[in-house]
Amino acid sequence: MIQVDSATRRYGSLTAVDNVSFNVERDEIVGFVGPNGAGKSTLLKMLSTFILPTSGRVLVDGLDVVEQPLEVRRRIGYLAGDTPLYQQMRVDRFLHFVGTARGLRGDYLDERFAATVEVCGLESVLLQRVSECSTGFRQRLGLATAMIHDPPILLLDEPTHGFDPLQVLAFRDLLRSLRPRRAILFSTHIIADVEAISDRVLIIHQGKLMGDGRVDDLAQQAGIPGASLEEIFAHLVRTSSAHA
């Protein structure tokens, strides 16, 4: 459902994403891990059509992000690292507003609103202003805006930012429940999240894809059989930096 083929994104002399290729299939959760500035958010923005690749090809559900951006947006739910929320709106009204903007109407809007509120655990803050919510609840609301139209593809940038430990565990369960019929790609700095719920892991550093596979396969490829994802990640990044 997601196909990235030799995607590159340059900003002048800076290459933020460098000839990256990978796929994410239906019924798959793929975790994307890398240091700050590695290119994770840039790739997610390319997939969501917020920015376009300088070269290469990016397809979402068979649609080219350059040639068919509006159709791509209808098929994705995107949680940005800095999702804009209208701070003075009530949570329930804001989520209804997003659903309406997504083209939902009538009974189906009500149905999707109720389902999304339940899944994201927003019942206790529905009548509060967004500005009155904690960081964790604002992040849950951002996730709800990405999910309300029931998209087949979810792109989540640092989705557990601001969550407490119990909320992190609940989020992991949520992603597992959403896996059927969907392709899910999420980025995070929390390696434990990636290791706990990902079917595959992408490791990116300095704009280059350093690894793509299951943890056991990545350990074998890195020459450190049986290593944890944290150990694999550190090994690949340090080796790459030493050769730079």
Side-chain angles (χ1 to χ4, degrees):
M1 297 189 79
I2 295 173
Q3 297 171 270
V4 179
D5 185 11
S6 302
T8 296
R9 174 67 194 192
R10 298 187 184 92
Y11 297 96
S13 61
L14 173 66
T15 301
V17 173
D18 190 357
N19 196 35
V20 168
S21 299
F22 64 88
N23 294 338
V24 181
E25 306 299 335
R26 191 186 300 273
D27 301 320
E28 188 173 37
I29 300 174
V30 175
F32 208 8
V33 64
N36 288 332
K40 303 185 301 297
S41 293
T42 300
L43 270 163
L44 289 172
K45 287 177 181 176
M46 282 195 283
L47 285 163
S48 59
T49 78
F50 276 81
I51 61 175
L52 299 178
T54 305
S55 62
R57 197 173 190 209
V58 178
L59 301 178
V60 175
D61 205 14
L63 301 167
D64 191 296
V65 299
V66 176
E67 298 175 358
Q68 300 160 290
L70 292 179
E71 289 301 317
V72 169
R73 292 176 191 177
R74 292 187 179 101
R75 288 164 170 78
I76 65 170
Y78 175 48
L79 175 65
D82 54 352
T83 299
L85 304 173
Y86 292 156
Q87 299 294 320
Q88 296 309 308
M89 289 185 74
R90 260 180 21 191
V91 169
D92 59 344
R93 291 172 180 168
F94 178 70
L95 193 54
H96 264 112
F97 165 74
V98 172
T100 301
R102 278 289 188 177
L104 309 184
R105 298 290 186 274
D107 290 344
Y108 186 58
L109 172 59
D110 293 340
E111 176 187 321
R112 287 302 308 155
F113 175 86
T116 305
V117 165
E118 180 179 0
V119 165
C120 293
L122 292 170
E123 297 93 336
S124 64
V125 297
L126 283 178
L127 301 184
Q128 293 183 19
R129 292 178 185 267
V130 174
S131 61
E132 297 169 346
C133 294
S134 67
T135 300
F137 273 112
R138 288 198 297 271
Q139 192 73 350
R140 290 195 209 185
L141 178 58
L143 182 60
T145 66
M147 293 173 47
I148 192 166
H149 57 301
D150 197 22
I153 296 164
L154 288 175
L155 307 171
L156 310 176
D157 195 358
E158 300 289 344
T160 58
H161 172 70
F163 281 6
D164 64 37
L166 288 178
Q167 290 171 337
V168 169
L169 293 176
F171 171 77
R172 293 177 184 175
D173 290 339
L174 170 60
L175 274 201
R176 292 187 190 103
S177 73
L178 294 173
R179 178 195 280 117
R181 303 182 296 106
R182 289 184 178 85
I184 302 174
L185 176 63
F186 76 100
S187 77
T188 182
H189 290 97
I190 304 173
I191 291 178
D193 285 347
V194 178
E195 200 158 22
I197 58 178
S198 297
D199 299 301
R200 273 182 25 249
V201 179
L202 304 174
I203 298 176
I204 190 170
H205 179 51
Q206 296 178 339
K208 297 180 182 293
L209 193 63
M210 309 298 299
D212 176 359
R214 298 179 182 274
V215 173
D216 289 346
D217 295 333
L218 290 173
Q220 291 288 343
Q221 294 166 21
I224 45 176
S228 67
L229 180 57
E230 187 175 59
E231 292 167 330
I232 298 164
F233 174 74
H235 173 79
L236 291 175
V237 169
R238 288 167 182 163
T239 301
S240 173
S241 297
H243 293 160

